[in-house]
């Protein structure tokens, strides 16, 4: 799940996302993911392959070390790997239920409704002190 467009290949990642206002970065990330997903018809297939293909799995894991953690550092936080992993698991959980088996309740949610639900959670994972 490279948050810049696809699972394989490069891209700008999260480096170009606006970090202001800082209290909105969670919402910005969720909206960014949903926008990319809507443009990338291959995402569902790549998500399934990522569970078994080591190269795709490594690319997915790079989201933690190459995108989320550096972005959180730009926010002035030093996140743990666990915090970044929680961000990715939240977004992938939504993606799994919305785009793979297409759960009706997940499919019924509009983009801004998802942003409203998940944005504060992602925000807390990236900026809250470790419990």
């Amino acid at each position: 799940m490279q948050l810049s467009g696809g699972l394989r290949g490069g891209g700008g990642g999260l480096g170009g996302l606006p970090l202001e206002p800082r209290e909105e970065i969670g919402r910005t990330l969720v909206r960014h993911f949903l926008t990319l997903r809507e443009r990338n018809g291959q995402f569902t297939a790549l998500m399934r392959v990522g569970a078994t293909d080591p190269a795709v799995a490594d690319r997915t894991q790079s989201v933690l070390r190459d995108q989320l953690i550096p972005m959180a550092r730009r926010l002035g936080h030093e996140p743990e790997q666990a915090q970044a992993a929680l961000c990715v698991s939240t977004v992938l959980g939504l993606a799994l239920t919305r785009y793979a088996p297409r759960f009706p309740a997940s499919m019924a949610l509009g983009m801004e409704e998802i942003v409203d639900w998940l944005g504060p959670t992602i925000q807390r994972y990236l900026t809250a002190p470790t419990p």
Side-chain angles (χ1 to χ4, degrees):
M1 178 195 79
Q2 179 169 347
L3 292 174
S4 63
L7 284 168
R8 294 184 192 268
L14 299 174
L17 278 182
L19 297 181
E20 299 292 338
R22 290 179 186 265
E23 60 276 358
E24 292 291 313
I25 193 63
R27 294 174 55 81
T28 300
L29 279 170
V30 173
R31 189 176 291 109
H32 180 68
F33 168 77
L34 290 170
T35 300
L36 290 175
R37 168 50 191 107
E38 297 301 322
R39 289 189 214 148
N40 186 348
Q42 299 176 355
F43 179 80
T44 302
L46 290 171
M47 191 173 65
R48 290 177 180 145
V49 170
T52 58
D53 182 314
V56 177
D58 182 61
R59 189 70 201 130
T60 302
Q61 292 172 20
S62 76
V63 171
L64 297 177
R65 62 182 182 265
D66 299 339
Q67 295 183 46
L68 281 173
I69 290 175
M71 187 202 61
R73 287 181 180 141
R74 288 183 14 234
L75 286 168
H77 298 279
E78 191 62 39
E80 304 268 335
Q81 288 281 342
Q83 289 169 284
L86 288 169
C87 291
V88 172
S89 68
T90 299
V91 172
L92 287 180
L94 168 72
L96 178 64
T97 62
R98 187 170 171 91
Y99 304 117
R102 302 176 64 94
F103 288 10
S106 291
M107 296 295 299
L109 295 168
M111 180 186 285
E112 286 307 308
E113 195 172 8
I114 293 169
V115 169
D116 289 343
W117 277 104
L118 295 185
T121 300
I122 299 298
Q123 181 80 26
R124 189 180 86 242
Y125 289 155
L126 285 176
T127 62
T130 303

